[in-house]
Amino acid sequence: MTNNNGTINQHCDVIVVGAGMAGLYLLHKLRSAGYSAIALETGDDVGGTWYWNRYPGARCDIESLDYSYSFDPDLEKEWQWSERYATQPEILRYLQFVADRYDLRRDIRFSTLVKQANWDEGAAQWNVTTATGDTFTGQYYVMATGCLSLPKEPDVPGVERFSGATYFTNAWPHEGVDFTGKRVAVIGTGSSGIQCIPLIAEQASQITVFQRTANYAAPANNGPVRAEHQQKLQADRDAYREAARGSRAGVPLPRGEEPFFTVEPEERERRLEAGFALGDLLTISSSFSDLVTNPEANNAVQEFFRNKVRAKISDPQTAEDLCAKDFPLFTKRLCLETNYFETFNLPHSKLVNLRRTPIKSITETGIDSTEESMEFDAIVFATGFDAMTGAIVAVDIRGCDGVELKDVWAEGPKSYLGLNVHGFPNFFTITGPGSPSVLSNMAVSIEQHVNWITTTLNHLRKEGLQTIEATYAAQEGWVTHVNDYADLTLYPVANSWYMGANVPGKPRVFLPYIGGVDTYRQVCNDVVEQDYLGFELSGSSGSHCNDGVVRFVKPDVQMVLDLIASLEQAPLESLPLEKARQQMEANTANRAPGPEVGEISDGTLPGPFCDLDYRLYRPTTEGPHSVVVYFHGGGWVLGHASSDDPFCRYLCVESNVLVISVNYRHAPEAPFPAAVDDAYAAVNWIAINAESLGGKSGSLAVAGWSAGGNLATVVCQMSQKQGGPKISGQLLVAPVTDCDFSTTSFSDNAEGYGLTRNLMQWFWNNYCAVSERNDPRASPLRAESLAGLPPAMVITAELDPLRDEGNAYAAAMQAAGVSVKHIQAPGQIHTSLTAVDTVNSANGVRKAMSDAVRIFSNYH
Ligand code: NAP
């Protein structure tokens, strides 16, 4: 409808912003599903990023066969790529072809800039306004605006003064630019700069590149589409595309399985050379499992890249300047280059290292650095984008109660799955923050999001529902999960656009999701299968919500669980005793060893019935040290003095204490109270003999994990009752404190998180007759009084059957006036708390443990 003032007012089911790769497919998909939709596009044609970025040398950096739509096999047959990495004009032609083939243009309004989008709660619809005052209303509003579409402001002083020509790679003139005979400056050496510099150098009389941060780049080795690649796809296209959807990055490559340093040096070199020669972004990073998590491995491959640069550049200073050194490899997108480095061997090229000689100002005629004044006819800015969030918040988007998205995202974007935002019903982002997006083949991620959104709209329509909105809890849970994953990697170290660090003032938050396309797809499917977990769905007949967090296990804990599951081992409790002990032993053999300590010595001490083995861990620092008597876990049935070796080393080093891990008699051979008697006797003996062991006399704490935590606190109770020895503190890690199996944590975490309900029952059955379990020496939570116990640090894990009894014990001690610090570790399981150097997401809790032990050692 046209209003009196000439503006347009139109209603449709779905309003889409953007007619790039995402917007086009979304339009097609919506239309096929029977929705009316309109796409509003700023450009005067389709193409999105491929419409704007027309700079010389612009190409995709994922092979074109993969960087294509896969939703229609006929489309794939009709379009042939001429090159392995197609140029921008060819990709634009492809997207134009798609728009025409599916007759999409009739639902696209070009040259239309969206300014505002308001959620009208009463009408349950979005009201969208454009720069020219046209208005659109729709039940759903989708931002398909791309991750790298809003150019970053050129933050170089004096930029407005230059009287020559200025160009931006991300808004390149359609008619192209002829640099023949021109003196050209290029600022920026990211993917865009690295692609355009060699081609500009072919024309320019002089090219000067202003480099702030050198980048890692591999040769593209572009050429015709690789025959073997084509054959693979054609042999079974469905399988090929499915493999891409189920891969880490949206390209069918296996995940690297071996850590870098477990591979022989010659084989490492061979893999790196092969990956480098292939000319592909993902092969090198997939060659090993730990390149983005292990700084040493990353550093070794960095050096490989630097040596490649050094070998190419004739001037040693220029070579060093071009070597990336400021950030770990892959934590900014690896660039693919063609003749980039060689350009700096040309006589008319020059590199200005802005770290040494920063730009003072752009002037009327050129650029002044701190060292010289340079004159130019043209300046090219290849300075990047306000990535992932910039284009979204550039529109004034207001959800419930008029709250603006920009404000909600002021401290960094919050989104559920990168798809929807709490407080913004019926609003979707395609490849939004918190989804794999820029860390994946965008074609695959776009299709997955579009399909998910369309499936969701169909579901709402079928169920007679009108709105969908992420809950606060689900969104918070997802944001935590996204950050947890990023924190396991080296990515947060870099000042990259992934971190928002390239735009002054932008909050420093990791923007995409690094768990992988495969993992992410599973998450989105799980959400649907669990009745749209974490979404509130409403209609005229009311609303319903299965609220919850879709991934609450910490990612590295999940990796450990997956690894254990892959071993397909029989449950310990189903095995004969000896076999169970062997299996546990075998499982601990391959653990990360834990930190180096000053000295480890094994010995025995007299127990009440027999000698008891112990292992002593001494710090490197000069003694005497405070002493911590440690009791290992293993359900009173398994384990020995060195079975918690990595954790004992950790405590020794981090708390700077002498750790003495004492073995005790195990059940069922020596049932309750044998272990208790041994533990108490050992503490008494160590208290008396502390000095001869190199410990401080009178400064003794106890610690234990699981059943060992049970023994540690039982010893505290006994020493309290029997008048000694003096214990300065107790560290109880996921302790067994009671024999009650009816707690919520026992039912919620009965299976699937390492320690199971059945295993715990087996431990108890081996250890203690039912008639004796009320004895506080077995179930310390049942003690008449806990008053007067030493200060305690109690750590419980959220996903542990023992969680509630640990929590109850901490609360009971606190109620009895004991000084207690209690942490319930979210997303952790029974075994992960002590998994030093394996489950790094528990590092914070472990630090709290070691701090507590250090503090205990000062109480004497
Ligand atoms: P970018 O990676 O953010 O690179 C911008 C460059 O400009 C960096 O070298 C940056 O230096 C420099 N820069 C920014 N502000 C500056 C200033 N004030 N003074 C001096 N230097 C400044 O941007 P991009 O190259 O456009 O690439 C962005 C992303 O787009 C890529 O990572 C990639 O994902 C995608 N892309 C892909 C292709 C492809 O091959 N398909 C091509 C182009 C872009 P610092 O590093 O020091 O900030």
Side-chain angles (χ1 to χ4, degrees):
M1 184 180 98
T2 307
N3 299 319
N4 290 343
N5 62 2
T7 59
I8 287 167
N9 185 340
Q10 187 178 333
H11 180 81
C12 54
D13 296 328
V14 190
I15 302 166
V16 178
V17 185
M21 199 175 222
L24 290 179
Y25 178 46
L26 182 61
L27 263 192
H28 168 65
K29 192 79 187 169
L30 289 170
R31 199 191 271 170
S32 316
Y35 299 97
S36 59
I38 188 153
L40 307 175
E41 165 59 54
T42 317
D44 60 13
D45 197 0
V46 299
T49 198
W50 301 106
Y51 170 91
W52 297 103
N53 289 269
R54 297 172 187 238
Y55 60 85
R59 292 173 186 276
C60 54
D61 58 4
I62 297 284
E63 292 187 55
S64 296
L65 286 192
D66 296 310
Y67 187 73
S68 319
Y69 292 117
S70 70
F71 65 87
D72 183 350
D74 289 339
L75 170 64
E76 284 184 58
K77 281 187 209 126
E78 287 165 32
W79 185 268
Q80 298 302 319
W81 292 106
S82 69
E83 286 180 273
R84 187 178 170 202
Y85 296 109
T87 58
Q88 171 272 329
E90 187 172 4
I91 303 172
L92 183 58
R93 277 201 304 279
Y94 170 69
L95 295 173
Q96 288 165 337
F97 173 75
V98 169
D100 294 336
R101 189 185 188 285
Y102 299 97
D103 188 20
L104 300 175
R105 290 176 192 276
R106 66 183 156 94
D107 288 328
I108 305 172
R109 287 184 63 87
F110 293 107
S111 309
T112 301
L113 176 67
V114 174
K115 293 298 275 186
Q116 222 186 27
N118 290 323
W119 173 243
D120 177 342
E121 217 149 348
Q125 69 177 18
W126 282 92
N127 298 337
V128 173
T129 312
T130 70
T132 52
D134 294 338
T135 53
F136 298 85
T137 52
Q139 189 181 351
Y140 301 101
Y141 175 61
V142 188
M143 290 295 270
T145 36
C147 296
L148 294 152
S149 42
L150 187 77
K152 189 187 101 147
E153 293 290 326
D155 51 349
V156 184
V159 68
E160 68 295 337
R161 289 171 58 195
F162 187 58
S163 60
T166 51
Y167 302 101
F168 294 84
T169 49
N170 43 35
W172 202 258
H174 287 204
E175 63 282 10
V177 181
D178 183 2
F179 288 109
T180 306
K182 299 275 192 311
R183 298 160 303 169
V184 184
V186 181
I187 302 179
T189 51
S191 301
S192 303
I194 283 178
Q195 283 186 333
C196 72
I197 286 164
L199 289 162
I200 295 175
E202 279 180 15
Q203 294 182 335
S205 63
Q206 185 194 309
I207 182 163
T208 306
V209 175
F210 292 83
Q211 172 195 277
R212 188 164 66 185
T213 310
N215 240 318
Y216 301 98
N221 291 340
N222 194 22
V225 171
R226 289 184 298 136
E228 68 273 23
H229 196 181
Q230 186 81 268
Q231 275 155 14
K232 246 193 206 166
L233 175 65
Q234 276 165 359
D236 186 345
R237 72 157 298 280
D238 288 348
Y240 184 92
R241 295 301 188 199
E242 209 41 46
R245 294 177 194 123
S247 68
R248 183 177 181 81
V251 173
L253 275 177
R255 278 175 186 248
E257 299 217 320
E258 293 162 299
F260 185 77
F261 288 110
T262 63
V263 175
E264 290 299 315
E266 302 74 42
E267 172 59 13
R268 280 185 228 151
E269 195 67 14
R270 191 202 62 73
R271 284 190 205 173
L272 292 178
E273 288 291 357
F276 204 75
L278 188 60
D280 166 63
L281 282 186
L282 301 167
T283 301
I284 293 182
S285 59
S286 313
S287 302
F288 306 93
S289 64
D290 59 345
L291 295 185
V292 295
T293 52
N294 178 351
E296 284 83 34
N298 188 286
N299 199 29
V301 186
Q302 286 177 33
E303 198 52 24
F304 173 87
F305 272 79
R306 287 190 281 265
N307 286 336
K308 291 288 181 194
V309 176
R310 289 172 187 133
K312 279 185 178 175
I313 305 296
S314 33
D315 174 51
Q317 181 63 59
T318 308
E320 271 326 292
D321 286 345
L322 285 168
C323 284
K325 292 174 190 148
D326 296 336
F327 58 97
L329 179 66
F330 306 121
T331 59
K332 288 187 178 185
R333 193 179 178 92
L334 179 63
C335 302
L336 281 190
E337 57 87 20
T338 302
N339 293 332
Y340 172 66
F341 292 110
E342 289 82 349
T343 300
F344 296 93
N345 289 334
L346 300 173
H348 69 297
S349 77
K350 172 173 167 173
L351 181 71
V352 178
N353 181 343
L354 298 179
R355 305 270 175 191
R356 266 204 313 276
T357 51
I359 293 177
K360 253 189 0 205
S361 178
I362 294 181
T363 64
E364 265 195 8
T365 52
I367 297 178
D368 284 358
S369 78
T370 48
E371 224 165 48
E372 59 183 316
S373 287
M374 289 160 271
E375 298 211 331
F376 298 109
D377 303 307
I379 302 179
V380 174
F381 290 89
T383 41
F385 300 86
D386 183 349
M388 307 271 320
T389 55
I392 299 174
V393 297
V395 176
D396 177 358
I397 301 174
R398 290 170 194 259
C400 299
D401 304 321
V403 171
E404 195 179 349
L405 185 65
K406 197 188 227 166
D407 295 334
V408 177
W409 284 8
E411 304 297 319
K414 297 204 180 258
S415 165
Y416 186 31
L417 306 172
L419 276 164
N420 173 251
V421 182
H422 172 66
F424 295 78
N426 291 7
F427 166 59
F428 297 101
T429 49
I430 306 236
T431 61
S435 74
S437 55
V438 290
L439 296 175
S440 69
N441 174 0
M442 288 298 277
V444 167
S445 289
I446 284 170
E447 287 191 337
Q448 188 253 336
H449 264 191
V450 168
N451 293 345
W452 192 94
I453 291 169
T454 319
T455 305
T456 300
L457 265 48
N458 291 344
H459 173 76
L460 294 169
R461 183 170 61 183
K462 186 165 145 266
E463 299 296 318
L465 298 162
Q466 270 85 53
T467 62
I468 179 166
E469 181 194 345
T471 68
Y472 180 78
Q475 179 170 286
E476 286 295 297
W478 183 250
V479 170
T480 302
H481 178 71
V482 169
N483 288 325
D484 285 343
Y485 237 123
D487 287 345
L488 297 178
T489 72
L490 302 169
Y491 278 84
V493 174
N495 287 324
S496 65
W497 58 259
Y498 294 140
M499 293 296 300
N502 65 326
V503 175
K506 192 167 172 173
R508 196 184 169 93
V509 175
F510 189 68
L511 297 167
Y513 174 61
I514 199 167
V517 163
D518 45 0
T519 313
Y520 177 78
R521 174 177 296 264
Q522 188 58 51
V523 169
C524 292
N525 293 346
D526 288 353
V527 164
V528 174
E529 270 161 32
Q530 293 170 55
D531 193 15
Y532 283 90
L533 177 67
F535 282 106
E536 178 159 3
L537 298 100
S538 309
S540 48
S541 54
S543 69
H544 79 274
C545 173
N546 176 22
D547 201 1
V549 170
V550 63
R551 286 292 182 270
F552 40 81
V553 184
K554 294 287 174 191
D556 48 357
V557 173
Q558 189 59 53
M559 287 172 204
V560 171
L561 288 171
D562 292 345
L563 182 74
I564 293 169
S566 73
L567 300 176
E568 296 183 359
Q569 290 178 333
L572 284 173
E573 66 274 19
S574 70
L575 298 172
L577 193 64
E578 265 325 293
K579 279 254 153 51
R581 286 181 175 148
Q582 279 164 13
Q583 185 164 302
M584 150 121 177
E585 211 42 34
N587 288 350
T588 54
N590 295 326
R591 285 174 307 185
E596 282 292 319
V597 298
E599 182 201 347
I600 288 184
S601 58
D602 293 330
T604 56
L605 56 85
F609 181 77
C610 59
D611 280 355
L612 303 173
D613 299 330
Y614 69 80
R615 173 164 282 196
L616 183 149
Y617 304 83
R618 198 184 305 284
T620 44
T621 53
E622 204 173 314
H625 300 96
S626 295
V627 177
V628 172
V629 183
Y630 180 85
F631 300 106
H632 65 264
W636 309 282
V637 175
L638 313 170
H640 44 74
S642 59
S643 58
D644 291 352
D645 210 59
F647 185 57
C648 289
R649 287 166 177 266
Y650 175 86
L651 283 182
C652 169
V653 171
E654 295 298 319
S655 308
N656 194 36
V657 290
L658 199 69
V659 175
I660 304 176
S661 170
V662 182
N663 200 17
Y664 44 87
R665 281 171 294 158
H666 289 132
E669 295 90 336
F672 173 80
V676 172
D677 292 343
D678 288 357
Y680 186 52
V683 171
N684 270 304
W685 186 87
I686 291 169
I688 294 165
N689 294 282
E691 275 183 49
S692 62
L693 294 166
K696 250 187 231 164
S697 174
S699 177
L700 177 146
V702 292
W705 166 59
S706 191
N710 169 284
L711 296 175
T713 199
V714 166
V715 165
C716 291
Q717 292 191 5
M718 291 171 77
S719 87
Q720 149 74 2
K721 260 196 181 157
Q722 299 180 28
K726 188 172 169 0
I727 297 174
S728 62
Q730 45 175 336
L731 169 66
L732 312 179
V733 186
V736 185
T737 70
D738 200 29
C739 56
D740 177 12
F741 291 91
S742 68
T743 57
T744 310
S745 59
F746 254 109
S747 50
D748 284 358
N749 308 318
E751 275 180 42
Y753 301 116
L755 178 65
T756 62
R757 180 193 171 93
N758 287 349
L759 181 58
M760 203 56 221
Q761 247 156 359
W762 184 73
F763 285 146
W764 269 107
N765 291 343
N766 275 303
Y767 179 53
C768 187
V770 175
S771 59
E772 291 182 293
R773 290 183 193 173
N774 276 336
D775 187 324
R777 290 175 304 157
S779 299
L781 183 61
R782 299 188 182 216
E784 247 169 51
S785 166
L786 299 176
L789 288 184
M793 170 64 131
V794 182
I795 308 290
T796 53
E798 184 191 8
L799 307 168
D800 182 358
L802 303 183
R803 178 195 68 206
D804 290 353
E805 63 196 69
N807 291 354
Y809 193 63
M813 283 196 290
Q814 222 151 17
V818 178
S819 158
V820 179
K821 264 199 172 168
H822 172 212
I823 298 176
Q824 180 178 298
Q828 298 294 334
I829 61 173
H830 187 70
T831 44
S832 60
L833 299 174
T834 52
V836 173
D837 291 339
T838 303
V839 175
N840 291 340
S841 59
N843 283 351
V845 206
R846 250 173 250 134
K847 169 88 171 46
M849 300 187 212
S850 62
D851 287 349
V853 168
R854 201 182 268 271
I855 290 167
F856 296 157
S857 65
N858 294 329
Y859 301 147
H860 50 91

